[in-house]
Amino acid sequence: MLLSDPSLIKNTLLLNGVWQAGSSQFAVYNPATGEEIIWVHNASVKDTQLAIEYAVLAQKQWQQSLAAERAFLLKNWHQLVLQHQHDLALILATEQGKPLSEAKAEILYAASFIEWFAEEAKRLYGDVIPTTAANRRLMTIKQAVGVVAAITPWNFPAAMITRKLAPAFAAGCTVILKPSELTPLTAMALAELAQRAGFAPGVLQVLPTKEASAVGELLCQSPDVKKLTFTGSTRVGKLLMRQCADTVKRLSLELGGNAPVLIFADADLPKAVAGVMAAKFRNAGQTCVCINRIYVERAVYQEFNQLLLKAMQQLVQGSALEPGVTLGPLINTEAVTKVSALVQQAINQGATLMWAGQKPVAGSNFYPPTLLCDVTQDMALMQQEIFGPVAAVMPFDSEQEAISLANQSAAGLAAYVYSNDISRLWRLAEALQVGMVGINETAISTEVIPFGGVKESGLGREGSRYGIDEYLEIKHLCWGGLV
Ligand code: ADP
């Protein structure tokens, strides 16, 4: 990796403002080549305990800081991320595998949360409530929740971090970050830039670790950690929620999606295909708002499949840094095995394999783009996230059927609809049981919108003016005995 600033590569733990060694190490790999990139120090349970103690100390000062100071530090951090965006994108693409163009876009997306919450930091207003008694006055103030633990995934190694850290810092919370063990280098480069931005020791601490369950358990069970914010699988999210029960911890959970897209006969089909391509194949299909289930009205089913096939044949699969690449590898071999099994199972149950691309490197983590038609609702790939570049298409006959199919899922993160009938679009927007609906659009995520899901897709919202509420308590002040 040829970086302009090689000192952005950190491989130790950030504890109380100092990068320091752990007692063991683990390797981080490039998913496209299988090559080892670097060995990273492993945070133990003991290191986690230390991080909590430092965070408690830092919290006392940090929550007293002025909003303007926090905004200033966040703006510094934002500037540094922009200044080093190329290096950050290289680090991200190398450890995660997404094409460099996507990695660059993610860094800008990640930076946008820092800027947004730098601005929001100064607008944490309380209320004066019209009183119910002449001798009383009623008010609310907002206060930082306290020490926050953030556990983040590998699919967006930068954005899922800033989306949590920026509002936490803006609110006056310290953060202990446990990034994914598959992509810790982006997290540590972002943390290094936060250090350079001037955040005090202990405001941000980073625990790269192979011992996710033990470290996670301590973070959940410690009464000194006041909030857990997690993005990852529904399975782990439920486990963490259970572990947080004993301390009744505040929780934000961004868990799995199983996003449907409903394409009606009156839709602009080329636009629908372009939308499906963007939302299905970004990050090789490894995003939680990825289109997982494609439902197409029977009158345009064949036509849609042909258009989608043509578009899919334009995908260029390869390593992140190769020019022109639009589709990277999956994160690891287990992911390839899982996607292969889902596809094989669907074919065995009667799905039609319309097309599968060539795997660019045999035996690697690349999974070829694959188009399956005539899938049915009972197939495993319609019930769970595929998390791979596999488009699964199924016909429907009526609006009611489409809504019912879309809502038959325990997940409820995003859904997408394509139609030109405005009344229908409004009906669908209200009927779909999800947190976010893309209407003739699939690029729905920015820093200004509340990102989050319903049902088993999680709790809370990230980004937007609501995102900071997750890190604040509302305190009521009742002033009595006034004369
Ligand atoms: P994915 O399927 O996207 O890899 P995971 O839920 O396994 O999602 O991982 C998301 C994050 O959760 C990662 O940082 C991972 O290390 C962490 N994690 C996994 N298992 C646990 C656990 N038992 N306790 C705490 N964190 C965990």
Side-chain angles (χ1 to χ4, degrees):
M1 232 184 301
L2 268 181
L3 302 182
S4 323
D5 182 351
S7 63
L8 284 180
I9 297 281
K10 295 287 173 217
N11 71 339
T12 49
L13 325 180
L14 180 60
L15 287 174
N16 204 28
V18 181
W19 290 103
Q20 39 191 288
S23 51
S24 61
Q25 299 188 18
F26 63 94
V28 178
Y29 298 96
N30 176 333
T33 60
E35 282 163 17
E36 192 182 290
I37 305 171
I38 196 170
W39 283 77
V40 168
H41 288 253
N42 183 56
S44 63
V45 169
K46 221 166 129 194
D47 297 318
T48 310
Q49 187 54 49
L50 268 179
I52 295 172
E53 285 163 24
Y54 293 136
V56 168
L57 283 178
Q59 182 63 41
K60 291 201 178 100
Q61 301 295 321
W62 185 234
Q63 69 195 19
Q64 305 289 349
S65 61
L66 295 178
E69 284 172 46
R70 299 197 296 275
F72 173 78
L73 293 169
L74 282 162
K75 279 188 218 156
N76 282 351
W77 192 24
H78 176 243
Q79 278 308 312
L80 287 165
V81 170
L82 291 185
Q83 215 174 307
H84 294 276
Q85 59 180 284
H86 191 69
D87 279 354
L88 290 168
L90 276 174
I91 296 170
L92 195 166
T94 306
E95 68 174 349
Q96 202 275 342
K98 63 179 68 176
L100 189 59
S101 55
E102 284 190 31
K104 284 182 179 168
E106 183 183 339
I107 296 300
L108 293 180
Y109 178 48
S112 74
F113 289 104
I114 306 177
E115 182 181 41
W116 174 266
F117 286 109
E119 293 157 351
E120 289 295 286
K122 293 188 280 185
R123 320 211 196 291
L124 303 181
Y125 302 113
D127 306 300
V128 179
I129 300 168
T131 188
T132 51
N135 63 348
R136 289 190 196 158
R137 294 294 180 271
L138 311 177
M139 305 168 71
T140 66
I141 57 171
K142 289 186 181 167
Q143 292 183 307
V145 164
V147 175
V148 169
I151 300 182
T152 56
W154 50 264
N155 61 347
F156 287 86
M160 296 306 100
I161 288 176
T162 56
R163 193 150 88 169
K164 297 177 185 322
L165 269 49
F169 292 158
C173 298
T174 58
V175 179
I176 301 168
L177 169 65
K178 193 215 83 60
S180 168
E181 60 278 25
L182 302 174
T183 55
L185 300 177
T186 309
M188 295 198 277
L190 284 169
E192 167 63 14
L193 293 174
Q195 293 303 104
R196 294 184 196 174
F199 288 96
V203 171
L204 171 62
Q205 299 178 91
V206 186
L207 302 174
T209 184
K210 268 297 234 193
E211 298 167 43
S213 60
V215 165
E217 196 175 345
L218 177 56
L219 291 172
C220 291
Q221 289 176 352
S222 166
D224 291 325
V225 175
K226 302 299 181 193
K227 167 166 182 122
L228 173 76
T229 173
F230 170 76
T231 298
S233 63
T234 307
R235 181 187 68 80
V236 174
K238 287 179 180 178
L239 171 77
L240 298 177
M241 194 172 181
R242 269 182 232 121
Q243 290 178 352
C244 285
D246 282 342
T247 50
V248 194
K249 225 178 271 315
R250 284 279 297 265
L251 277 175
S252 295
L253 301 173
E254 296 286 356
L255 310 179
N258 179 0
V261 59
L262 310 183
I263 297 163
F264 287 84
D266 61 13
D268 179 329
L269 278 195
K271 275 197 188 139
V273 170
V276 168
M277 288 300 295
K280 176 72 249 182
F281 295 101
R282 189 159 58 109
N283 202 13
Q286 304 170 108
T287 86
C288 51
V289 290
C290 244
I291 290 174
N292 203 60
R293 298 176 283 154
I294 305 172
Y295 299 110
V296 183
E297 195 165 5
R298 201 175 297 275
V300 292
Y301 182 66
Q302 298 301 345
E303 188 185 349
F304 174 85
N305 288 341
Q306 287 305 326
L307 289 173
L308 183 60
L309 171 66
K310 270 203 199 119
M312 284 177 64
Q313 288 172 335
Q314 307 303 312
L315 290 165
V316 181
Q317 198 167 30
S319 299
L321 308 189
E322 283 170 42
V325 160
T326 52
L327 193 64
L330 296 187
I331 189 69
N332 55 23
T333 324
E334 292 87 77
V336 176
T337 309
K338 194 195 132 205
V339 175
S340 309
L342 286 173
V343 169
Q344 200 47 56
Q345 214 178 335
I347 294 170
N348 294 347
Q349 287 178 269
T352 308
L353 176 64
M354 252 185 95
W355 181 71
Q358 285 288 324
K359 195 170 172 143
V361 187
S364 64
N365 292 334
F366 287 97
Y367 191 90
T370 301
L371 177 55
L372 289 174
C373 302
D374 311 329
V375 302
T376 50
Q377 190 77 351
D378 56 333
M379 292 177 181
L381 85 181
M382 297 295 263
Q383 304 286 329
Q384 51 178 275
E385 289 181 299
I386 303 170
F387 248 55
V390 176
V393 197
M394 169 175 168
F396 67 83
D397 292 298
S398 71
E399 183 180 314
Q400 269 322 309
E401 185 196 359
I403 293 171
S404 154
L405 287 167
N407 286 340
Q408 280 167 28
S409 171
L413 192 57
Y416 308 91
V417 293
Y418 278 86
S419 165
N420 274 321
D421 177 340
I422 199 146
S423 303
R424 184 207 300 282
L425 288 170
W426 189 253
R427 285 193 298 273
L428 292 166
E430 289 188 344
L432 290 168
Q433 297 162 358
V434 291
M436 298 170 284
V437 184
I439 300 163
N440 292 324
E441 181 59 75
T442 57
I444 56 172
S445 313
T446 67
E447 76 282 15
V448 307
I449 64 101
F451 188 104
V454 301
K455 302 205 273 188
E456 291 187 14
S457 287
L459 297 173
R461 294 293 180 267
E462 293 193 318
S464 82
R465 69 186 168 104
Y466 303 108
I468 202 162
D469 294 341
E470 306 286 332
Y471 300 91
L472 292 167
E473 295 288 4
I474 298 175
K475 185 183 277 178
H476 164 48
L477 311 182
C478 176
W479 297 73
L482 302 178
V483 287

